[in-house]
Amino acid sequence: MEISKYLERIKYSGTLEPNLQLLNKLQKSHLLNIPFENLDIHYHTPIKLDIDKIYDKIICKNRGGFCYELNGLDYELLIALGFKAKRVSARVYSKENEYSPEFDHLTLLVNIENIEYLTDVGFGEFIFEPLELELGKIQNDERGCFLIDEYEGGYFRVNKIDNDTSTPEFIFKNEEKELEEFAEMCEYHQTDPNSHFMQKRLISLPTLNGRITISGDLSKIKEHNSITEKELKTEAEFEKELWDKFKISIEKSAPINT
């Protein structure tokens, strides 16, 4: 992995001392420049937990990915830069199913001067900067207010606070995991019809003032409180929008899912 090429991909230039300031800048730069996307799933291109292949896809081919790819690769960057980082398994909250199975989401913890921080570049609409792993403290982020508390069974729970209402995002245990341990759930999300990643194509990238998203055949641009939507009626229109908004061209191995 070429660190300089990775940093160029996320448009970061500056000092590389492994401290909280750098971690903050890397997370935000990563989020603003590498989209969250599941397009390979819908073009039947297998996603394997191979860091060299993930690096080639995201850094060399200007693609995005989902949590196993994005946070998996970010972990390698942080370690290469001298951070004390570890992968952890998270279970995502949903109103219908409570919490998803273990290894449903890969997130990261980084220890800086004996303080641990949750950093994540692969959870869609989430934090711009890391959250300190401190219980009961409301932490203000550009993307909202968050609080970490305890949950049953030895879990930490990440909550988003909106108008005094707390909504869980996910739970996790402070236990280090290997990348290979996420392989079964990575395969599930690519092949099982019950996986939400199988439902429709998605690519999304935050901006400083909003978000750019293609979901299914709908392109949406959010800017402050304004939302502009456009229906993509053909595959050609989808591909043009994908290039115009994300500078991505897909190498197709099979027709898309219908």
Side-chain angles (χ1 to χ4, degrees):
M1 183 175 77
E2 294 183 44
I3 294 177
S4 60
K5 199 166 185 177
Y6 198 142
L7 296 177
E8 181 181 354
R9 173 76 173 90
I10 64 174
K11 298 180 181 178
Y12 175 79
S13 60
T15 60
L16 295 176
E17 183 181 352
N19 53 30
L20 181 57
Q21 183 180 23
L22 176 61
L23 185 65
N24 291 343
K25 291 180 178 179
L26 289 175
Q27 179 168 319
K28 187 173 182 179
S29 296
H30 207 293
L31 287 164
L32 289 171
N33 291 286
I34 300 182
F36 183 95
E37 53 119 319
N38 67 355
L39 300 181
D40 276 354
I41 294 172
H42 293 269
Y43 288 103
H44 306 287
T45 300
I47 299 169
K48 301 298 182 183
L49 299 186
D50 180 313
I51 289 299
D52 290 338
K53 291 181 180 178
I54 295 171
Y55 173 86
D56 181 65
K57 172 185 174 179
I58 293 176
I59 306 304
C60 301
K61 295 180 179 176
N62 200 55
R63 290 284 306 280
F66 63 169
C67 71
Y68 309 115
E69 300 169 285
L70 297 174
N71 284 326
L73 193 61
D74 189 37
Y75 168 85
E76 300 294 335
L77 174 65
L78 296 176
I79 292 296
L81 292 174
F83 284 100
K84 297 177 181 178
K86 58 185 175 185
R87 314 175 194 87
V88 297
S89 165
R91 300 170 58 191
V92 180
Y93 176 77
S94 70
K95 294 180 180 178
E96 297 78 16
N97 301 312
E98 288 297 314
Y99 290 98
S100 61
E102 206 67 71
F103 301 106
D104 186 48
H105 178 59
L106 188 164
T107 191
L108 304 175
L109 290 175
V110 176
N111 188 305
I112 300 174
E113 297 181 350
N114 295 319
I115 298 175
E116 290 198 286
Y117 297 88
L118 177 76
T119 181
D120 200 309
V121 297
F123 195 61
E125 182 62 52
F126 195 39
I127 47 176
F128 258 180
E129 293 188 348
L131 297 175
E132 184 178 345
L133 193 55
E134 180 177 343
L135 298 177
K137 175 185 176 181
I138 294 179
Q139 302 184 55
N140 297 314
D141 183 81
E142 291 181 63
R143 309 307 267 195
C145 297
F146 297 85
L147 179 145
I148 298 175
D149 60 7
E150 290 181 304
Y151 186 72
E152 59 192 44
Y155 284 93
F156 292 92
R157 177 172 58 184
V158 182
N159 310 273
K160 186 171 184 180
I161 311 296
D162 189 14
N163 294 324
D164 296 323
T165 299
S166 178
T167 303
E169 296 281 355
F170 56 76
I171 57 175
F172 67 92
K173 289 185 178 180
N174 192 345
E175 298 175 353
E176 187 168 11
K177 303 296 182 183
E178 297 298 324
L179 184 61
E180 294 76 17
E181 295 182 78
F182 296 86
E184 184 176 345
M185 284 302 294
C186 181
E187 179 70 14
Y188 164 83
H189 282 304
Q190 298 177 70
T191 58
D192 195 299
N194 293 315
S195 168
H196 60 278
F197 289 112
M198 290 284 291
Q199 306 309 310
K200 58 185 175 181
R201 292 181 288 185
L202 173 70
I203 180 167
S204 188
L205 186 72
T207 65
L208 290 175
N209 301 311
R211 180 169 286 273
I212 303 170
T213 301
I214 301 177
S215 179
D217 295 323
L218 186 67
S219 175
K220 180 188 295 186
I221 299 176
K222 181 180 180 182
E223 191 77 14
H224 297 293
N225 294 321
S226 173
I227 297 177
T228 304
E229 296 183 345
K230 178 171 64 175
E231 183 181 0
L232 307 174
K233 298 180 180 179
T234 66
E235 185 66 12
E237 288 184 7
F238 177 88
E239 291 176 358
K240 184 177 187 304
E241 191 77 355
L242 191 61
W243 179 257
D244 290 345
K245 297 297 188 295
F246 301 96
K247 294 296 180 284
I248 285 178
S249 179
I250 299 293
E251 297 178 3
K252 304 174 187 177
S253 59
I256 64 168
N257 289 335
T258 57

